[in-house]
Amino acid sequence: MSYALLSLPFIAVTIGVTAISAIRPGIRRRLATSAIAAIGLVLLTAVFDNAMIAADLFAYPPQHLLGVFIGRAPIEDFAYPLCAAFLVPAIAALLPVRKNA
Amino acid sequence: MACATPGRLHRSHRRDRERRPAPRRHDRDGRPRHPHHHGGRTRRGVELADGRALRAGTVVSTADLHHTESALLAPEERSYPEKWWDKREPSPGALLLLLGVRGELPSSRTTPPVQRGLAGELRRGLRRASAHSRPGVAVRLPSQRDGSRRRPGGGRRTSSCSCRYPRTPRGGAEAKTAGATPPSSVPRTPSSPRSPDGAASRISRNGSSSAARSPGRLRSRLPRVARKLARPRAHAASERDVPPPQPSKRVGRAVVRGVIRAPRHRPAHVPHLRELVAKGLRGDTSPGPLPEPSGRRTDVRGLYLAAILLSTAGVLALDLRLRLALRPAPLRTLAATALGTAFFLAWDLAGIAAGVFVKGDSPLWSASTSHPPPPRGARLPRLPLLPRPRPHRCRGACRAPERRRGAGA
């Protein structure tokens, strides 16, 4: 199974949860903030993913990859920061807020 | 680097010998003489049979002394008469050097696996060898295709020959050059004046009418010859008692032989030669022995885990100090973080199970393992081996949107 295929369900979950979080107020602002956070996270990923791969902490067998790399990091790896930036705030928005908060 | 097989050395340095008188190559104890003591004679390297000249400051034959003397050197250059050799028993000196290249010398039966292991290195080394290559060390095994060492009809008769096995083509001419070792050395070269015909006639004078069996067959019966010829008390126990062949098992690419349990049967080894060869193989031309490993290596195990924990602590400190998420809504923040962690953990586990993520062999891991990547569906590694706990890395930024929300609430 390729990395991209593996990532698909997780990206789908992220999109779904983010879409559902529209029922909570402030979705536009949340999406905008998530996008800014995503940019920062992607930049950090580009730096540290390369560092971690260069340190041989983990490796990606090339037969599973699309073949597009940012340095040493496969392009698929950047699904992580994107999902993180959108999914976690969406989850937080969907969780019930305590009355006294 | 200069390398040559016995047969190919035969034509070397005829010109030198015509010009100057031959020096003695070894002192009484059979040690090679210091290069300085060669009567001012200059050696420039080895001239191979195919005409190539390998230049070197020093050329050292690592074949055993007998082979070097009686097969490689001109008669007038020899230190010992034939009678002297008749009183000697062989010891596997040349073999020791070769075997020292890779690990220990469990028994003389290791010759074939060692040769197997060396073949790649040799081929690489020989490919690099050129007339002006850097001084280095090369070990050359006897050439199996060298026709000059093989005689038609050699066959069995050689086996009854009283000559020692080093004299056979087995001895090889391991010409080893280490030009940088003696800084002010007068270069020297073992010359090999003896033509194939001459060698043949001399051996037949000794009672064997044929010069050589094919190297392959000879190699296979070497251990037997060595055991038979070993005389009690002639050598140290480790040299004298050639242990019987032991079953070998393959571990990866290396062939591991059984352990010799008798304390007196420790395998012989030649540390300084081993170092020399090791240096040469890695292209180190500096004089002197191998450098000691420099101090203790810094232990970096767990550095990855430490970096993750440090990052988490930093995120936590920022969060608490700036009242980002954990203070305004502790339960919601913890729940969102836990769900996010579970999400990315599931992603990672799926990637590992699918073989998309492979744990590297970095020393930064807490538990450094060289295990192969877990096969599909394999039991998952324990916590320190978990790859990429990414949720830690993004928590701080993930909370950024929440802050405004929390502040607005």
Side-chain angles (χ1 to χ4, degrees), chain B residues 18 25 72 119 159 169 176 179 188 198 222 281 292 330 367 378 396 405:
Chain B
E18 282 160 15
R25 302 250 133 230
L72 299 181
S159 62
K176 188 181 63 177
R188 72 190 187 107
L222 248 184
L281 285 179
E292 288 289 314
R405 185 186 152 80

Side-chain angles (χ1 to χ4, degrees), chain B residues 319-359:
Chain B
D319 188 276
L320 291 178
R321 178 75 181 77
L322 303 178
R323 297 168 177 272
L324 296 178
L326 200 57
R327 274 203 188 171
L331 282 185
R332 197 185 62 170
T333 302
L334 287 178
T337 307
L339 281 174
T341 306
F343 176 80
F344 288 109
L345 198 60
W347 199 337
D348 273 337
L349 296 187
I352 293 170
V356 173
F357 304 153
V358 176
K359 179 181 171 295

Side-chain angles (χ1 to χ4, degrees), chain B residues 245-380:
Chain B
Q246 302 197 355
S248 65
K249 76 177 177 186
R250 231 160 222 294
V251 179
R253 286 187 305 178
V255 173
V256 177
R257 301 226 166 229
V259 180
I260 302 166
R261 305 212 178 268
R264 296 217 163 224
H265 286 77
R266 274 194 304 258
H269 65 283
V270 189
H272 64 287
L273 291 181
R274 178 188 298 190
E275 287 189 351
L276 251 179
V277 173
K279 273 178 68 172
L281 285 179
R282 74 170 77 152
D284 187 355
T285 59
S286 62
L290 274 181
E292 288 289 314
S294 56
R296 268 186 61 217
R297 290 190 54 191
T298 317
D299 196 356
V300 292
R301 274 178 308 166
L303 205 61
Y304 186 31
L305 185 64
I308 291 166
L309 291 178
L310 189 71
S311 310
T312 311
V315 168
L316 202 64
L318 275 177
D319 188 276
L320 291 178
R321 178 75 181 77
L322 303 178
R323 297 168 177 272
L324 296 178
L326 200 57
R327 274 203 188 171
L331 282 185
R332 197 185 62 170
T333 302
L334 287 178
T337 307
L339 281 174
T341 306
F343 176 80
F344 288 109
L345 198 60
W347 199 337
D348 273 337
L349 296 187
I352 293 170
V356 173
F357 304 153
V358 176
K359 179 181 171 295
D361 202 19
S362 169
L364 304 180
W365 287 105
S366 319
S368 191
T369 58
S370 51
H371 295 316
R376 198 185 177 111
R379 203 165 56 89
L380 290 161

Side-chain angles (χ1 to χ4, degrees), chain B residues 119-182:
Chain B
E121 297 283 355
L122 288 175
R123 234 172 284 128
R124 248 170 278 138
L126 289 175
R127 216 175 290 140
R128 281 199 305 264
S130 69
H132 295 279
S133 63
R134 289 171 307 167
V137 179
V139 187
R140 185 75 165 100
L141 298 170
S143 166
Q144 305 202 24
R145 282 162 295 182
D146 191 346
S148 69
R149 308 299 295 168
R150 204 179 301 171
R151 314 244 161 248
R156 294 240 160 206
R157 280 184 289 177
T158 317
S159 62
S160 63
C161 170
S162 67
C163 68
R164 304 137 193 97
Y165 70 84
R167 178 187 294 172
T168 67
R170 168 83 208 104
E174 292 81 26
K176 188 181 63 177
T177 78
T181 312

Side-chain angles (χ1 to χ4, degrees), chain A residues 1 3 6-7 10 14 29 33 45 49 52 55-61 64 77 80 84 87 89 91-92 95 98, chain B residues 304 331-332 335-336 339 343-344 347-348 350-351 355-358 360-362 365 388 390 393-394 398 402 404:
Chain A
M1 184 193 293
Y3 192 174
L6 173 85
S7 306
F10 295 94
T14 301
R29 183 183 172 139
T33 347
T45 301
D49 209 28
M52 282 147 68
D56 198 19
L57 282 167
F58 43 79
Y60 302 99
H64 298 306
D77 244 4
Y80 270 90
L87 175 69
I91 291 175
L95 288 173
R98 284 210 302 195
Chain B
Y304 186 31
L331 282 185
R332 197 185 62 170
L339 281 174
F343 176 80
F344 288 109
W347 199 337
D348 273 337
V356 173
F357 304 153
V358 176
D361 202 19
S362 169
W365 287 105
R388 309 200 302 169
R390 279 175 196 246
R393 233 168 51 197
C394 58
C398 298
E402 297 170 39
R404 290 182 202 109

